[in-house]
Amino acid sequence: PISPLTVTAVKTVRYYGDPNPDFSVEYNGLKNNETVQTCDVTGSPIFSTEANELSVIGTYEITVDAGDVSSQNYSLSFANSTLDVERAILRVKPDDITLTYGDTIPDLTFRIEGYKNGEETMTDIIAGYPVISTEAIDGSDAGIYDIVLSEGDLAASNYAFDLKKGIITINKANLQVVANNMSRTYGDPNPIFTYGISGFVLGQNDATSDVTGSPILVTTANELSPVGNYDINMTEGDLSSNNYQFTLSNASLAVNKATLSVTANDKLRIYGDPNPAFDVTFNGFKNSEDLATSGVTGSPDFNSNASITSSVGTYRITPVLGTLLSGNYQFNFVNGKLYIGKSVLTMRADTMRRDFGNSNPVFTY
């Protein structure tokens, strides 16, 4: 007699909204260690089911018919099976948020992905809302914070929910660290360089924020540097903060001219003589310089209100710039005094003659 062989539809599972998979069968009753590949069963069965992509979750029968299945060695019988339509998976994910330290935490939102059959446009597919929360609050330090979901009263007939995490990224706020412009006089030591910080949030300041340390401010200028402008360059040094990053702005050191006092030396002459040659004394040289090493060139001119006919008395000697020139010095002119003294007159009696016995003549000089 011919051996019986049962051709049974394989139990199948798929998700709601997916197309039906290709159905298959298994053989029960093969003899002589035969397999599906080595037995003489040929042809393909015909499958049918009521389930389609729109079918709600549940169990549906898979009906198998002989189709063109045949065998010489087996009498065939066909057994149905089931298709389980399970809940499709909806991914519920919080929307990631990127903020700057000091910003207000906005309302937390989420999105749902994975709808089937165009159902995202339908309002009655999902009921309820998930619970969404985060440890981040207004004023939280810069860093990364999880946004966590729980199902809350979220429900759907044909869907299960895969709850994902989101993140709130709080970036550091930016502080402007600005070096202050400075000035000094040629030959003086550099001043202590200072800086200002602006851009604090949440009502903070340098004392109440978490900013620690100080920047480093340097310049190439020293006491010997000539007059001019020099960069004050800033690096972060040991400035540090969990909540702030730093934008550094350099400044300028102005080396200004030192002041030389150019003082006219006091002079003395006699009434009726021409004015003497005037000269000056320089005071205020820097860096152990003197007139020869300072780079000062030229000489001053002089004005005086005394002339050759000026009466005895004290007169002003006024030095003016003349051809004086210097890259590192400016000039402060200080008047001197010209003293005109009395001239000396010699009174000489005239030699006189008289005869013996005569009276003396009137003497003259």
Side-chain angles (χ1 to χ4, degrees), residues 157-195:
S157 298
N158 295 314
Y159 294 97
F161 302 100
D162 179 18
L163 303 179
K164 303 293 186 180
K165 285 185 178 181
I167 59 171
I168 295 178
T169 302
I170 300 179
N171 294 319
K172 292 183 176 185
N174 190 65
L175 287 179
Q176 295 287 336
V177 185
V178 180
N180 294 321
N181 292 327
M182 308 292 284
S183 64
R184 67 166 174 85
T185 299
Y186 168 73
D188 289 351
N190 289 332
I192 296 174
F193 298 134
T194 59
Y195 61 93

